[in-house]
Amino acid sequence: MTEPCRLVILISGSGSNLQAFIDAIARGELRAHIVAVISNKADVFGLQRAAQAAIPTEIIDHKQYESREAFDAELRTRVESYRPDLVVLAGFMRILTPVFLRPFIGRLINIHPSLLPKYPGLNTHQRALDAGDSEAGATVHFVTEELDGGPAIIQAGVPILAGDDVSAIVARVLTQEHRIYPLAAQWFAEGRVQLCDNHAELDGVPLPSTGFIFRDDRA
Ligand code: GRF
């Protein structure tokens, strides 16, 4: 039997998606080993979650570096030192340059809180509300040099209900994020999903630009 997939998870905040990975591994739904959690911020709750699960942590403070590229070079070196099979961005709030990205293309994934290609960038749920959308959601995608633009793997939508504010949508979407993100990683670990030129494939079949549409039977 092959070794569990080695994950390095990058965070900047609460780490609820990190927790979803920890829990999915504990339940046996994700055959992986989180070899390190790296944060660009000290004192974030995600670091406590990692410590609680006995996962090695590192803080690499971007403010200590004179340029984005210098930070990215250090981050790359630190991540590579853990020999990851897959690098997981889980609320990592830094724009990454090719200095970091290039060695990891095809084994670097992100979760973005919108139904991509709608609303790349920030304030996604507010933008969905402002536009009068009936649905919000999240998308797991391979990371490429285009911000929030890499090929999608899986996407989950939730309804926007009358009277919703952003915090209600955040909570509803996060529940789905916690299901689809470990699932996408499991597909990667099993060799089922891969990045091809400008799209992702699942079981050898090209995925649509939305990725696989996840339907939650528990919702
Ligand atoms: C999530 O909304 C995710 O979609 C976005 O950043 C947030 C991270 O939340 N990329 P958490 O730190 O995992 O709780």
Side-chain angles (χ1 to χ4, degrees):
M1 198 152 156
T2 53
E3 292 298 305
C5 185
R6 294 172 65 85
L7 308 180
V8 170
I9 301 188
L10 306 189
I11 63 167
S12 303
S14 139
S16 71
N17 279 286
L18 163 65
Q19 190 67 54
F21 275 78
I22 294 169
D23 295 345
I25 291 169
R27 286 196 301 267
E29 294 169 7
L30 170 57
R31 195 163 170 279
H33 178 46
I34 305 173
V35 291
V37 167
I38 301 178
S39 175
N40 64 313
K41 290 190 178 169
D43 302 324
V44 293
F45 187 55
L47 287 169
Q48 290 183 43
R49 296 182 194 268
Q52 183 75 29
I55 300 165
T57 60
E58 288 197 36
I59 299 159
I60 307 177
D61 179 358
H62 60 276
K63 295 195 291 297
Q64 304 297 318
Y65 295 83
E66 62 185 19
S67 68
R68 212 171 262 285
E69 286 74 15
F71 169 73
D72 280 11
E74 177 63 14
L75 184 63
R76 180 176 97 185
T77 301
R78 298 308 310 142
V79 172
E80 279 176 335
S81 75
Y82 292 101
R83 297 179 292 107
D85 299 305
L86 181 65
V87 181
V88 176
L89 304 181
F92 187 67
M93 299 302 287
R94 297 291 303 164
I95 292 175
L96 294 161
T97 69
V99 171
F100 177 82
L101 295 173
R102 289 225 169 110
F104 298 116
I105 296 283
R107 52 192 182 106
L108 174 63
I109 58 177
N110 181 45
I111 191 160
H112 181 75
S114 79
L115 299 171
L116 288 171
K118 269 192 161 180
Y119 311 131
L122 297 173
N123 303 319
T124 52
H125 300 326
Q126 185 64 56
R127 288 153 70 196
L129 265 181
D130 293 347
D133 292 357
S134 58
E135 215 186 10
T139 309
V140 178
H141 64 95
F142 281 108
V143 178
T144 61
E145 291 180 29
E146 186 188 346
L147 181 66
D148 300 328
I153 299 170
I154 184 168
Q155 173 169 100
V158 301
I160 296 179
L161 304 175
D164 271 351
D165 57 9
V166 167
S167 65
I169 300 172
V170 166
R172 204 173 296 130
V173 171
L174 272 176
T175 305
Q176 297 304 310
E177 293 188 23
H178 300 160
R179 295 188 180 141
I180 64 174
Y181 210 3
L183 177 59
Q186 173 63 12
W187 287 350
F188 185 91
E190 293 173 308
R192 292 183 59 191
V193 75
Q194 59 179 331
L195 176 66
C196 299
D197 301 330
N198 53 2
H199 66 275
E201 281 189 5
L202 178 62
D203 298 330
V205 179
L207 284 163
S209 60
T210 56
F212 180 92
I213 304 288
F214 179 73
R215 307 253 174 244
D216 186 1
D217 13 2
R218 289 173 288 188

